[in-house]
Amino acid sequence: MLDADVAIVGAGAAGLCLAHRLACPPPGLAPPGLVLLQAPEGPLRAPPRTWCFWEAGAGRFEEAVSASWGRLRVHDPRGAATVARVAPLRYKMIRSADLEALVARELAARPGAYACEAAVHAVRDVPGGAEVHARAGDGSPLLVRARWVFDSRPPRELPAARTTLLQHFHGWFLRSRRPAFDPDTVELMDFRAPPPPHGLAFGYVLPTGERTALAEYTVFSAARLPRSAYAHALRRYLREVLGLGEVLVTGEESGVIPMTDGRFAGRAGAAVFRIGTAGGATRPATGYTFAAVQRQTRALAAAVHAGRKPRLRAPHHARARVMDAVVLRALAAGRVEGAELFPRLFCRVPAERLLRFLDGRTTAREDLAVGLRMPLLPMLRTAAELPRLPRRPPAGPWPPPAPADPPPADPPTANPPTADQLPADDLPAGPAPAAPGEGAP
C-alpha cells in the first residue's frame, strides 16, 4: 500500500504533464507526495506516440522536444498551396518516450514521488480522499490512497452528443533515397491525398531532416477504415502526390481521436478528477488536445501546490465550444467541405491568429473575425439548427474497433518496403528516426 497526496492514473500526455508540474513547484513551495501509475507492457499500455503543438520560445517541456518548425503549408485539393510563417510561434513535436524520460528524472529527484507500473481496475472515493486499486506487473495487488486522484485514462464511452465524428490516422516514419523534405516546413494539411469513401482526408508530413519524416494519412469521418486502406492511401499519397518513389519505413503509428460536441464529465467522485481527453481537453472541431491539457494541468497543479481544492474548469471556453459545435455539425451534414474550409481559413486569416484560434486563446473580436472568413450561409443555417437537435449517445464502445481487412488482393510485396528491400548504398547516412507515436495534428 502507498499513501500520497496525489495519485495520477495513466501516463499519457495529461498524466505526464501533470506529474511534471506537480514535481516542479514554484520557488518556495514543496512538491506534494505523488504516485504516477502507468500500465505495464501489454494491451493496456498505449504504444509510443507523438504530440505536436505550437508555442513561442522555450517551453516547460523543451528538453523533450525532438523537432520544431517555423513554417506551415496547406494544400487545397487542386494543388494551390498556402505557406505561412508562424513566428513568434514554433510548431513542436514531442515523442512520448522523451517526455516519459524527462518526467522520470524529475520524479526520481523528488523525495516522496514515485512512478510504478500497475494495471488499475478501480478508483473510488473514500473518507478523506480516494483509493486506487491495481495489480503490479508481477500480479501482486497494489492499493494507493491519496487525497486527490487524477485519472487520465481514455474514456470507455463517449458522452451523448448532437454530432460525433472520428479523427483517425495511420502514419509511417520513413527515409527517402534522396533529399525530399524541407526541414523547416510542416505539411499541416494536404488535401491532395486520396479521398476516403466517406468524410475528408489529408496528408500530414513532419520532416525531421531532408530525407526523414513522419507522414500520416488522416481522415475525419463517422467510422474507421480497415488497416490496409490507410496503408494503401498513404502509399498512393507518397508516390503520386509527393513523388517519393520507394522509401524505407522505420516505424509506424495509428490512432483515433474523438471529435464530439458531447459534454465530458470532469469529475468521477468527490476526490477523483478526469483529465485529458476523458476530461474534455480534445478540441471538438480539430482534435487538438495538447494545448488544452497544458491549461488543465497548470490550473490543477497550482491548486494542489497552494493547498486548495482543485477545480476542473472546462478546457475550452463556451464561445469556442459553440463555434466548434457549429463547424462539426456543418462538416458532418455535408454543408461545408472541409477540404475547402481549412485551406480557405489559412489563406484568409493571419497564421499566428489562426493558430491561437485553434488553441482557444483568441478574443471574442478575433473569433468573430475568423468566423466571418467561413462560409456564412451554411454556418448560419447550422447554428439555427443546433438547438433543436437531440443529444444521443454514440453506439458501441470507445475506441471503436476497426473494420476487418478484406481478403488480400495484392502479393506480399505490396507491404511497406523494409530494410532488406533497399540496397544499403541507396540508404541515407545517419540514424533512423525513433519509434513512432500518436500525433495527428
Side-chain angles (χ1 to χ4, degrees), residues 59-136:
R60 167 178 285 272
F61 307 108
E62 198 69 22
E63 188 178 339
V65 172
S66 59
S68 69
W69 303 269
R71 292 185 297 185
L72 305 179
R73 182 166 54 224
V74 175
H75 275 98
D76 71 16
R78 294 168 297 279
T82 298
V83 180
R85 293 187 177 275
V86 296
L89 304 177
R90 295 281 294 180
Y91 192 58
K92 300 181 179 182
M93 178 172 71
I94 289 179
R95 291 175 175 155
S96 57
D98 296 328
L99 186 56
E100 288 171 6
L102 174 62
V103 172
R105 289 193 295 272
E106 294 295 344
L107 295 184
R110 303 291 189 272
Y114 303 93
C116 58
E117 292 189 351
V120 174
H121 53 82
V123 179
R124 65 186 186 189
D125 278 324
V126 295
E131 289 182 345
V132 180
H133 296 259
R135 287 199 174 275

Side-chain angles (χ1 to χ4, degrees), residues 258-316:
M259 302 175 68
T260 173
D261 65 352
R263 299 165 182 164
F264 287 84
R267 299 288 290 272
V272 182
F273 300 82
R274 294 190 177 98
I275 59 175
T277 294
T282 299
R283 187 81 192 259
T286 63
Y288 286 115
T289 305
F290 199 83
V293 161
Q294 302 318 308
R295 292 193 291 270
Q296 197 176 65
T297 57
R298 185 185 304 117
L300 293 173
V304 172
H305 287 147
R308 303 192 307 268
K309 179 179 180 179
R311 293 183 59 191
L312 195 62
R313 301 179 185 274
H316 305 285

Side-chain angles (χ1 to χ4, degrees), residues 89-408:
L89 304 177
R90 295 281 294 180
Y91 192 58
K92 300 181 179 182
M93 178 172 71
I94 289 179
R95 291 175 175 155
S96 57
D98 296 328
L99 186 56
E100 288 171 6
L102 174 62
V103 172
R105 289 193 295 272
E106 294 295 344
L107 295 184
R110 303 291 189 272
Y114 303 93
C116 58
E117 292 189 351
V120 174
H121 53 82
V123 179
R124 65 186 186 189
D125 278 324
V126 295
E131 289 182 345
V132 180
H133 296 259
R135 287 199 174 275
D138 61 2
S140 60
L142 174 66
L143 174 64
V144 180
R145 291 177 176 169
R147 178 66 187 91
W148 309 110
V149 173
F150 299 97
D151 192 343
S152 71
R153 292 173 297 174
R156 294 184 177 179
E157 59 184 23
L158 298 183
R162 294 167 295 201
T163 310
T164 299
L165 293 176
L166 309 178
Q167 179 181 149
H168 42 112
F169 57 91
H170 183 72
W172 292 338
F173 282 86
L174 57 87
R175 303 170 71 192
S176 64
R177 291 183 170 184
R178 57 177 176 79
F181 306 107
D182 177 353
D184 197 43
T185 303
V186 166
E187 195 74 53
L188 190 69
M189 289 182 166
D190 189 345
F191 290 100
R192 299 173 296 171
H198 304 284
L200 69 100
F202 56 88
Y204 176 57
V205 183
L206 298 168
T208 54
E210 290 185 343
R211 302 188 185 192
T212 57
L214 167 61
E216 293 184 348
Y217 180 71
T218 302
V219 182
F220 292 1
S221 67
R224 298 173 70 178
L225 305 178
R227 182 179 177 86
S228 61
Y230 300 98
H232 178 71
L234 183 55
R235 188 178 300 111
R236 282 187 56 195
Y237 173 66
L238 295 175
R239 292 181 177 176
E240 299 174 13
V241 177
L242 301 186
L244 289 184
E246 282 191 298
V247 297
L248 174 65
V249 177
T250 61
E252 60 182 15
E253 69 171 19
S254 298
V256 56
I257 299 171
M259 302 175 68
T260 173
D261 65 352
R263 299 165 182 164
F264 287 84
R267 299 288 290 272
V272 182
F273 300 82
R274 294 190 177 98
I275 59 175
T277 294
T282 299
R283 187 81 192 259
T286 63
Y288 286 115
T289 305
F290 199 83
V293 161
Q294 302 318 308
R295 292 193 291 270
Q296 197 176 65
T297 57
R298 185 185 304 117
L300 293 173
V304 172
H305 287 147
R308 303 192 307 268
K309 179 179 180 179
R311 293 183 59 191
L312 195 62
R313 301 179 185 274
H316 305 285
H317 56 70
R319 191 172 64 252
R321 296 197 300 273
V322 169
M323 295 183 72
D324 276 13
V326 173
V327 171
L328 197 61
R329 184 64 188 177
L331 290 173
R335 296 192 184 114
V336 170
E337 290 289 338
E340 301 293 339
L341 172 63
F342 293 109
R344 173 176 177 162
L345 289 177
F346 274 90
C347 182
R348 298 186 179 187
V349 179
E352 190 269 344
R353 178 188 300 170
L354 184 57
L355 295 185
R356 286 190 293 106
F357 171 79
L358 295 176
D359 272 352
R361 296 187 292 110
T362 40
T363 65
R365 183 174 181 178
E366 289 174 322
D367 285 347
L368 177 61
V370 173
L372 291 175
R373 300 299 187 272
M374 298 183 184
L376 288 181
L377 290 180
M379 292 299 182
L380 290 173
R381 178 184 173 188
T382 303
E385 174 191 63
L386 276 180
R388 304 192 301 271
L389 295 177
R391 294 182 180 270
R392 294 188 174 93
W398 179 262
D405 282 323

